[in-house]
Amino acid sequence: MPPPSAPSSRLDPPEPPAPDTAEEREREDTMRAAGYKPKVRYPGARSMPWPSECIDCGASRKPSLQDVERGVRCQHVRRGSAPSRR
C-alpha cells in the first residue's frame, strides 16, 4: 500500500528543477531580465509558450522565449508606460 501523498498547496507551486545546461540557464536569465519567473523548465522550443509569473505584478503569463526576445512584456508594464492622452 503506497504512503499517503502530502496535500498540495495552491498558494506555493513547486519551484521548477534547476536548469541542466548553460544554455537553459541563459534562457531562464533572459526571461528573468524581461520580468518573468519561469514556473516550469524551458519547454524545448523558442516559439512554445513558457508558463511564467510576472515578477512585478504576480500575474500568470505564457510568453514564448521568442516573444520575450522581441520585447513582449506583461500588460501591466505596457499600461504603466503608455503616454497619457489629453
Side-chain angles (χ1 to χ4, degrees):
M1 183 175 220
S5 60
S8 63
S9 172
R10 296 182 112 185
L11 300 176
D12 296 323
E15 288 289 319
D20 287 335
T21 65
E23 189 174 283
E24 286 180 354
R25 281 189 294 277
E26 183 178 320
R27 290 176 176 152
E28 272 199 21
D29 290 345
T30 298
M31 292 293 282
R32 289 180 189 279
Y36 294 107
K37 178 182 175 186
K39 292 182 179 182
V40 298
R41 291 178 85 167
Y42 176 64
R46 300 167 66 81
S47 61
M48 290 181 68
W50 191 350
S52 303
E53 179 180 295
C54 176
I55 293 171
D56 292 328
C57 73
S60 289
R61 302 284 183 227
K62 292 183 182 178
S64 67
L65 181 61
Q66 185 175 12
D67 287 340
V68 166
E69 291 172 337
R70 290 179 180 164
V72 172
R73 299 297 182 263
C74 183
Q75 291 179 0
H76 86 273
V77 173
R78 282 188 260 155
R79 279 193 298 253
S81 63
S84 61
R85 292 184 175 191
R86 289 187 175 208

